[in-house]
Amino acid sequence: GDSVTQTEGPVTVSESESLIINCTYSATSIAYPNLFWYVRYPGEGLQLLLKVITAGQKGSSRGFEATYNKETTSFHLQKASVQESDSAVYYCALGSNTNKVVFGTGTRLQVLP
Amino acid sequence: EAGVTQSPRYAVLQEGQAVSFWCDPISGHDTLYWYQQPRDQGPQLLVYFRDEAVIDNSQLPSDRFSAVRPKGTNSTLKIQSAKQGDTATYLCASSFFRASNTGQLYFGEGSKLTVL
């Protein structure tokens, strides 16, 4: 079936360090999946961070970036310099043209001051 | 605009009891989802609707779980005879089915269920 595998957490980095959270996907029933990163900040609900619907394109939001790589079936999340306020749980997800959305297990990020 | 509303926020049951969760999606959103999220795991799709029709309920344990969306707006997820393994947060989400926005979901705050 369709699935997403991402970096196991928790991931701990110091403020101003760079970050990468790996995400790979398997889309056996979706020819052209859309890819997403969702985030849950402490005390808040799950919300969309960024999305890319075309292979080869890059999405960005709040200083985070992710590139849709169809060859390696990857969608890694990167940030050059994290802040303490980035501490959250990050979920990679893939969506089909029927609006079915499958999530990864989530990666908890802790940024130390 | 108002977001996705869920109730109750918390429920604590003994095994064998029943519970219903209610969801009010964003106005105008035709697609509604129910996810189950056990602690420290990702959301797992149970069922989703477009308007009042079930699109996919293949992951819904049909012997004890049921979900309806009779008028294509609000939805109810019911668990009969709850088990300890049902302990999780139940998330409702909605979206507007449009190719460019496929997969962009708006989530409620969730209903946290504990089965003792």
Short mmCIF file of all heavy atoms in Angstrom, two decimals, chain B residues 46-98:
data_model
loop_
_atom_site.label_atom_id
_atom_site.label_comp_id
_atom_site.label_asym_id
_atom_site.label_seq_id
_atom_site.Cartn_x
_atom_site.Cartn_y
_atom_site.Cartn_z
N LEU B 46 -9.05 6.33 9.25
CA LEU B 46 -10.11 5.34 9.50
C LEU B 46 -11.12 5.33 8.36
O LEU B 46 -11.50 4.29 7.83
CB LEU B 46 -10.83 5.68 10.80
CG LEU B 46 -10.05 5.49 12.09
CD1 LEU B 46 -10.85 6.02 13.27
CD2 LEU B 46 -9.68 4.03 12.30
N VAL B 47 -11.58 6.54 7.99
CA VAL B 47 -12.64 6.66 6.99
C VAL B 47 -12.64 8.08 6.46
O VAL B 47 -12.24 9.01 7.18
CB VAL B 47 -14.01 6.32 7.62
CG1 VAL B 47 -14.32 7.24 8.80
CG2 VAL B 47 -15.14 6.35 6.61
N TYR B 48 -13.06 8.26 5.19
CA TYR B 48 -13.32 9.61 4.74
C TYR B 48 -14.50 9.65 3.79
O TYR B 48 -14.84 8.65 3.14
CB TYR B 48 -12.07 10.30 4.18
CG TYR B 48 -11.58 9.91 2.81
CD1 TYR B 48 -11.72 10.80 1.74
CD2 TYR B 48 -10.91 8.72 2.59
CE1 TYR B 48 -11.21 10.49 0.49
CE2 TYR B 48 -10.40 8.40 1.36
CZ TYR B 48 -10.54 9.29 0.30
OH TYR B 48 -10.04 8.98 -0.95
N PHE B 49 -15.16 10.80 3.78
CA PHE B 49 -16.39 11.03 3.04
C PHE B 49 -16.20 12.16 2.04
O PHE B 49 -15.45 13.09 2.29
CB PHE B 49 -17.51 11.51 3.99
CG PHE B 49 -17.87 10.57 5.10
CD1 PHE B 49 -17.15 10.56 6.28
CD2 PHE B 49 -18.97 9.73 4.99
CE1 PHE B 49 -17.50 9.72 7.33
CE2 PHE B 49 -19.33 8.89 6.03
CZ PHE B 49 -18.59 8.88 7.20
N ARG B 50 -16.91 12.04 0.95
CA ARG B 50 -17.12 13.20 0.10
C ARG B 50 -18.63 13.43 0.11
O ARG B 50 -19.39 12.56 -0.30
CB ARG B 50 -16.62 13.00 -1.32
CG ARG B 50 -16.82 14.27 -2.17
CD ARG B 50 -15.77 14.46 -3.25
NE ARG B 50 -14.45 14.29 -2.72
CZ ARG B 50 -13.61 13.32 -3.12
NH1 ARG B 50 -13.98 12.45 -4.05
NH2 ARG B 50 -12.43 13.22 -2.58
N ASP B 51 -19.01 14.61 0.59
CA ASP B 51 -20.43 14.86 0.88
C ASP B 51 -20.91 13.76 1.83
O ASP B 51 -20.25 13.51 2.83
CB ASP B 51 -21.22 14.94 -0.41
CG ASP B 51 -20.73 16.08 -1.31
OD1 ASP B 51 -20.46 17.16 -0.76
OD2 ASP B 51 -20.62 15.87 -2.54
N GLU B 52 -22.00 13.08 1.53
CA GLU B 52 -22.49 12.06 2.46
C GLU B 52 -21.97 10.66 2.13
O GLU B 52 -22.23 9.71 2.87
CB GLU B 52 -24.02 12.05 2.48
CG GLU B 52 -24.68 11.61 1.18
CD GLU B 52 -24.77 12.71 0.15
OE1 GLU B 52 -24.23 13.81 0.39
OE2 GLU B 52 -25.39 12.47 -0.91
N ALA B 53 -21.24 10.53 1.03
CA ALA B 53 -20.79 9.21 0.58
C ALA B 53 -19.45 8.82 1.19
O ALA B 53 -18.52 9.63 1.23
CB ALA B 53 -20.68 9.21 -0.95
N VAL B 54 -19.37 7.56 1.61
CA VAL B 54 -18.10 7.02 2.08
C VAL B 54 -17.20 6.75 0.88
O VAL B 54 -17.59 6.03 -0.04
CB VAL B 54 -18.32 5.71 2.87
CG1 VAL B 54 -16.97 5.06 3.20
CG2 VAL B 54 -19.11 5.98 4.14
N ILE B 55 -15.99 7.32 0.89
CA ILE B 55 -15.04 7.09 -0.18
C ILE B 55 -14.15 5.90 0.14
O ILE B 55 -13.86 5.08 -0.73
CB ILE B 55 -14.20 8.34 -0.46
CG1 ILE B 55 -15.09 9.53 -0.80
CG2 ILE B 55 -13.20 8.08 -1.59
CD1 ILE B 55 -15.99 9.32 -2.00
N ASP B 56 -13.70 5.83 1.39
CA ASP B 56 -12.81 4.74 1.80
C ASP B 56 -13.01 4.49 3.28
O ASP B 56 -12.78 5.38 4.09
CB ASP B 56 -11.36 5.10 1.49
CG ASP B 56 -10.38 3.96 1.74
OD1 ASP B 56 -10.73 3.01 2.48
OD2 ASP B 56 -9.26 4.02 1.20
N ASN B 57 -13.44 3.31 3.63
CA ASN B 57 -13.55 2.92 5.05
C ASN B 57 -12.82 1.60 5.28
O ASN B 57 -13.15 0.86 6.20
CB ASN B 57 -15.01 2.83 5.49
CG ASN B 57 -15.77 1.76 4.74
OD1 ASN B 57 -15.26 1.12 3.82
ND2 ASN B 57 -17.03 1.58 5.10
N SER B 58 -11.86 1.31 4.43
CA SER B 58 -11.18 0.02 4.49
C SER B 58 -10.40 -0.20 5.78
O SER B 58 -10.11 -1.33 6.15
CB SER B 58 -10.24 -0.14 3.29
OG SER B 58 -9.28 0.90 3.27
N GLN B 59 -10.03 0.87 6.47
CA GLN B 59 -9.27 0.75 7.72
C GLN B 59 -10.15 0.92 8.95
O GLN B 59 -9.63 0.96 10.07
CB GLN B 59 -8.14 1.78 7.74
CG GLN B 59 -7.15 1.65 6.59
CD GLN B 59 -6.56 0.25 6.51
OE1 GLN B 59 -6.05 -0.28 7.50
NE2 GLN B 59 -6.63 -0.36 5.33
N LEU B 60 -11.43 1.00 8.77
CA LEU B 60 -12.36 1.15 9.89
C LEU B 60 -12.74 -0.23 10.41
O LEU B 60 -13.29 -1.05 9.66
CB LEU B 60 -13.62 1.89 9.42
CG LEU B 60 -14.58 2.40 10.47
CD1 LEU B 60 -13.97 3.54 11.26
CD2 LEU B 60 -15.89 2.84 9.83
N PRO B 61 -12.43 -0.52 11.70
CA PRO B 61 -12.82 -1.83 12.25
C PRO B 61 -14.34 -1.93 12.31
O PRO B 61 -14.98 -1.44 13.24
CB PRO B 61 -12.19 -1.81 13.65
CG PRO B 61 -11.16 -0.74 13.62
CD PRO B 61 -11.67 0.28 12.66
N SER B 62 -14.93 -2.55 11.30
CA SER B 62 -16.38 -2.45 11.11
C SER B 62 -17.20 -3.17 12.17
O SER B 62 -18.40 -2.93 12.30
CB SER B 62 -16.75 -2.98 9.72
OG SER B 62 -16.32 -4.32 9.59
N ASP B 63 -16.55 -4.06 12.92
CA ASP B 63 -17.32 -4.77 13.94
C ASP B 63 -17.66 -3.87 15.13
O ASP B 63 -18.66 -4.10 15.82
CB ASP B 63 -16.56 -6.01 14.42
CG ASP B 63 -15.17 -5.66 14.96
OD1 ASP B 63 -14.60 -4.63 14.54
OD2 ASP B 63 -14.67 -6.42 15.81
N ARG B 64 -16.88 -2.83 15.35
CA ARG B 64 -17.13 -1.99 16.51
C ARG B 64 -17.19 -0.49 16.20
O ARG B 64 -17.66 0.29 17.01
CB ARG B 64 -16.07 -2.23 17.58
CG ARG B 64 -16.06 -3.65 18.13
CD ARG B 64 -15.06 -3.82 19.26
NE ARG B 64 -13.70 -3.51 18.82
CZ ARG B 64 -13.04 -2.41 19.16
NH1 ARG B 64 -13.61 -1.53 19.94
NH2 ARG B 64 -11.81 -2.21 18.73
N PHE B 65 -16.66 -0.11 15.07
CA PHE B 65 -16.61 1.30 14.70
C PHE B 65 -17.63 1.57 13.59
O PHE B 65 -17.80 0.75 12.68
CB PHE B 65 -15.23 1.69 14.16
CG PHE B 65 -14.14 1.81 15.19
CD1 PHE B 65 -13.74 0.73 15.95
CD2 PHE B 65 -13.50 3.02 15.39
CE1 PHE B 65 -12.73 0.84 16.89
CE2 PHE B 65 -12.48 3.15 16.32
CZ PHE B 65 -12.10 2.06 17.07
N SER B 66 -18.25 2.73 13.66
CA SER B 66 -19.12 3.17 12.57
C SER B 66 -19.00 4.69 12.43
O SER B 66 -18.70 5.38 13.41
CB SER B 66 -20.57 2.77 12.83
OG SER B 66 -21.05 3.39 14.00
N ALA B 67 -19.20 5.16 11.22
CA ALA B 67 -19.13 6.60 10.97
C ALA B 67 -20.19 6.97 9.95
O ALA B 67 -20.42 6.24 8.99
CB ALA B 67 -17.75 6.99 10.45
N VAL B 68 -20.83 8.11 10.20
CA VAL B 68 -21.85 8.59 9.29
C VAL B 68 -21.69 10.09 9.06
O VAL B 68 -21.16 10.81 9.91
CB VAL B 68 -23.28 8.29 9.82
CG1 VAL B 68 -23.53 6.80 9.88
CG2 VAL B 68 -23.50 8.94 11.18
N ARG B 69 -22.21 10.51 7.93
CA ARG B 69 -22.24 11.93 7.60
C ARG B 69 -23.52 12.14 6.78
O ARG B 69 -23.47 12.38 5.58
CB ARG B 69 -21.00 12.33 6.80
CG ARG B 69 -20.81 13.83 6.68
CD ARG B 69 -19.64 14.18 5.77
NE ARG B 69 -19.42 15.62 5.78
CZ ARG B 69 -18.76 16.27 4.81
NH1 ARG B 69 -18.27 15.61 3.77
NH2 ARG B 69 -18.59 17.57 4.89
N PRO B 70 -24.66 12.06 7.42
CA PRO B 70 -25.95 11.92 6.71
C PRO B 70 -26.32 13.08 5.80
O PRO B 70 -26.96 12.86 4.78
CB PRO B 70 -26.97 11.76 7.85
CG PRO B 70 -26.28 12.28 9.06
CD PRO B 70 -24.83 12.02 8.88
N LYS B 71 -25.96 14.30 6.11
CA LYS B 71 -26.35 15.42 5.27
C LYS B 71 -25.15 16.06 4.58
O LYS B 71 -25.25 17.15 4.01
CB LYS B 71 -27.09 16.47 6.09
CG LYS B 71 -28.41 15.95 6.67
CD LYS B 71 -29.15 17.03 7.42
CE LYS B 71 -30.47 16.51 7.99
NZ LYS B 71 -31.21 17.53 8.75
N GLY B 72 -24.03 15.37 4.66
CA GLY B 72 -22.85 15.92 4.00
C GLY B 72 -22.22 17.08 4.73
O GLY B 72 -21.41 17.81 4.15
N THR B 73 -22.60 17.27 6.01
CA THR B 73 -21.98 18.34 6.78
C THR B 73 -21.32 17.74 8.02
O THR B 73 -20.19 17.27 7.92
CB THR B 73 -23.01 19.40 7.18
OG1 THR B 73 -24.14 18.77 7.80
CG2 THR B 73 -23.47 20.17 5.95
N ASN B 74 -22.04 17.71 9.16
CA ASN B 74 -21.47 17.14 10.38
C ASN B 74 -21.32 15.63 10.26
O ASN B 74 -21.97 14.98 9.43
CB ASN B 74 -22.38 17.45 11.58
CG ASN B 74 -22.58 18.94 11.76
OD1 ASN B 74 -21.77 19.73 11.32
ND2 ASN B 74 -23.69 19.31 12.37
N SER B 75 -20.47 15.10 11.14
CA SER B 75 -20.23 13.65 11.13
C SER B 75 -20.11 13.13 12.54
O SER B 75 -19.71 13.87 13.46
CB SER B 75 -18.94 13.34 10.36
OG SER B 75 -18.66 11.95 10.38
N THR B 76 -20.47 11.85 12.71
CA THR B 76 -20.34 11.18 13.99
C THR B 76 -19.55 9.89 13.80
O THR B 76 -19.82 9.12 12.88
CB THR B 76 -21.72 10.84 14.59
OG1 THR B 76 -22.47 12.05 14.74
CG2 THR B 76 -21.56 10.19 15.95
N LEU B 77 -18.58 9.69 14.67
CA LEU B 77 -17.82 8.44 14.73
C LEU B 77 -18.21 7.75 16.04
O LEU B 77 -18.11 8.35 17.11
CB LEU B 77 -16.32 8.72 14.72
CG LEU B 77 -15.40 7.52 14.91
CD1 LEU B 77 -15.43 6.60 13.69
CD2 LEU B 77 -13.96 7.98 15.18
N LYS B 78 -18.66 6.51 15.95
CA LYS B 78 -19.10 5.79 17.13
C LYS B 78 -18.26 4.54 17.33
O LYS B 78 -17.95 3.83 16.37
CB LYS B 78 -20.58 5.42 17.02
CG LYS B 78 -21.13 4.75 18.27
CD LYS B 78 -22.64 4.58 18.20
CE LYS B 78 -23.18 4.02 19.51
NZ LYS B 78 -24.66 3.89 19.51
N ILE B 79 -17.89 4.30 18.57
CA ILE B 79 -17.19 3.07 18.95
C ILE B 79 -18.08 2.30 19.90
O ILE B 79 -18.46 2.81 20.96
CB ILE B 79 -15.83 3.36 19.62
CG1 ILE B 79 -14.98 4.27 18.74
CG2 ILE B 79 -15.10 2.05 19.91
CD1 ILE B 79 -13.67 4.71 19.40
N GLN B 80 -18.45 1.10 19.49
CA GLN B 80 -19.23 0.21 20.35
C GLN B 80 -18.24 -0.69 21.09
O GLN B 80 -17.23 -1.09 20.54
CB GLN B 80 -20.13 -0.69 19.50
CG GLN B 80 -21.04 0.03 18.54
CD GLN B 80 -22.43 0.21 19.11
OE1 GLN B 80 -22.62 0.27 20.31
NE2 GLN B 80 -23.40 0.32 18.22
N SER B 81 -18.55 -1.02 22.32
CA SER B 81 -17.75 -1.99 23.06
C SER B 81 -16.26 -1.69 22.96
O SER B 81 -15.48 -2.45 22.39
CB SER B 81 -18.04 -3.41 22.53
OG SER B 81 -17.46 -4.37 23.36
N ALA B 82 -15.88 -0.54 23.50
CA ALA B 82 -14.49 -0.07 23.40
C ALA B 82 -13.51 -1.05 24.06
O ALA B 82 -13.83 -1.74 25.03
CB ALA B 82 -14.37 1.30 24.05
N LYS B 83 -12.30 -1.10 23.49
CA LYS B 83 -11.21 -1.92 24.03
C LYS B 83 -10.05 -1.00 24.42
O LYS B 83 -9.93 0.11 23.91
CB LYS B 83 -10.74 -2.92 22.98
CG LYS B 83 -11.81 -3.90 22.52
CD LYS B 83 -11.23 -4.87 21.50
CE LYS B 83 -12.29 -5.88 21.07
NZ LYS B 83 -11.76 -6.84 20.07
N GLN B 84 -9.17 -1.52 25.26
CA GLN B 84 -8.02 -0.71 25.67
C GLN B 84 -7.19 -0.27 24.47
O GLN B 84 -6.64 0.82 24.45
CB GLN B 84 -7.15 -1.49 26.66
CG GLN B 84 -7.78 -1.64 28.03
CD GLN B 84 -6.82 -2.24 29.06
OE1 GLN B 84 -5.73 -2.70 28.72
NE2 GLN B 84 -7.24 -2.26 30.32
N GLY B 85 -7.12 -1.09 23.46
CA GLY B 85 -6.37 -0.76 22.25
C GLY B 85 -6.95 0.39 21.45
O GLY B 85 -6.31 0.90 20.53
N ASP B 86 -8.16 0.83 21.82
CA ASP B 86 -8.78 1.98 21.14
C ASP B 86 -8.30 3.30 21.74
O ASP B 86 -8.63 4.37 21.22
CB ASP B 86 -10.30 1.91 21.24
CG ASP B 86 -10.88 0.68 20.58
OD1 ASP B 86 -10.27 0.17 19.62
OD2 ASP B 86 -11.94 0.21 21.02
N THR B 87 -7.54 3.22 22.82
CA THR B 87 -7.02 4.43 23.45
C THR B 87 -6.18 5.21 22.44
O THR B 87 -5.20 4.69 21.90
CB THR B 87 -6.17 4.08 24.68
OG1 THR B 87 -7.03 3.52 25.67
CG2 THR B 87 -5.48 5.31 25.24
N ALA B 88 -6.59 6.43 22.16
CA ALA B 88 -5.96 7.23 21.11
C ALA B 88 -6.65 8.58 21.07
O ALA B 88 -7.66 8.81 21.74
CB ALA B 88 -6.10 6.55 19.75
N THR B 89 -6.09 9.47 20.26
CA THR B 89 -6.78 10.72 19.93
C THR B 89 -7.44 10.54 18.58
O THR B 89 -6.81 10.05 17.63
CB THR B 89 -5.81 11.90 19.90
OG1 THR B 89 -5.25 12.08 21.21
CG2 THR B 89 -6.53 13.18 19.50
N TYR B 90 -8.71 10.92 18.49
CA TYR B 90 -9.47 10.79 17.25
C TYR B 90 -9.57 12.19 16.63
O TYR B 90 -10.12 13.11 17.22
CB TYR B 90 -10.84 10.16 17.52
CG TYR B 90 -10.65 8.71 17.90
CD1 TYR B 90 -10.35 8.36 19.21
CD2 TYR B 90 -10.69 7.70 16.94
CE1 TYR B 90 -10.11 7.05 19.55
CE2 TYR B 90 -10.45 6.39 17.27
CZ TYR B 90 -10.15 6.06 18.58
OH TYR B 90 -9.89 4.75 18.92
N LEU B 91 -8.97 12.28 15.45
CA LEU B 91 -8.88 13.57 14.77
C LEU B 91 -9.88 13.62 13.62
O LEU B 91 -10.00 12.68 12.84
CB LEU B 91 -7.47 13.75 14.19
CG LEU B 91 -6.32 13.78 15.17
CD1 LEU B 91 -4.99 13.75 14.43
CD2 LEU B 91 -6.40 15.03 16.04
N CYS B 92 -10.56 14.74 13.54
CA CYS B 92 -11.41 15.01 12.39
C CYS B 92 -10.73 16.09 11.55
O CYS B 92 -10.11 17.02 12.09
CB CYS B 92 -12.79 15.48 12.85
SG CYS B 92 -13.91 15.89 11.49
N ALA B 93 -10.82 15.95 10.25
CA ALA B 93 -10.26 16.95 9.35
C ALA B 93 -11.21 17.16 8.18
O ALA B 93 -12.03 16.29 7.87
CB ALA B 93 -8.89 16.51 8.83
N SER B 94 -11.11 18.32 7.56
CA SER B 94 -11.93 18.56 6.38
C SER B 94 -11.09 19.23 5.29
O SER B 94 -10.02 19.78 5.56
CB SER B 94 -13.15 19.42 6.72
OG SER B 94 -12.79 20.75 7.05
N SER B 95 -11.59 19.13 4.08
CA SER B 95 -10.93 19.77 2.95
C SER B 95 -11.94 20.01 1.84
O SER B 95 -13.06 19.48 1.88
CB SER B 95 -9.78 18.92 2.43
OG SER B 95 -10.27 17.78 1.73
N PHE B 96 -11.52 20.82 0.88
CA PHE B 96 -12.35 21.08 -0.29
C PHE B 96 -11.70 20.36 -1.46
O PHE B 96 -10.53 20.59 -1.76
CB PHE B 96 -12.47 22.58 -0.55
CG PHE B 96 -13.35 22.92 -1.71
CD1 PHE B 96 -14.68 22.51 -1.72
CD2 PHE B 96 -12.87 23.62 -2.79
CE1 PHE B 96 -15.50 22.81 -2.79
CE2 PHE B 96 -13.69 23.93 -3.87
CZ PHE B 96 -15.00 23.52 -3.87
N PHE B 97 -12.43 19.46 -2.08
CA PHE B 97 -11.87 18.63 -3.14
C PHE B 97 -11.63 19.47 -4.38
O PHE B 97 -12.56 19.84 -5.08
CB PHE B 97 -12.81 17.47 -3.46
CG PHE B 97 -12.29 16.57 -4.55
CD1 PHE B 97 -11.09 15.90 -4.38
CD2 PHE B 97 -12.98 16.39 -5.73
CE1 PHE B 97 -10.59 15.07 -5.38
CE2 PHE B 97 -12.50 15.56 -6.73
CZ PHE B 97 -11.30 14.90 -6.55
N ARG B 98 -10.34 19.73 -4.60
CA ARG B 98 -9.96 20.52 -5.77
C ARG B 98 -8.56 20.09 -6.08
O ARG B 98 -7.73 20.03 -5.18
CB ARG B 98 -10.04 22.00 -5.41
CG ARG B 98 -9.89 22.97 -6.54
CD ARG B 98 -10.32 24.36 -6.11
NE ARG B 98 -9.65 24.79 -4.91
CZ ARG B 98 -10.09 25.80 -4.15
NH1 ARG B 98 -11.20 26.45 -4.49
NH2 ARG B 98 -9.44 26.16 -3.06
#
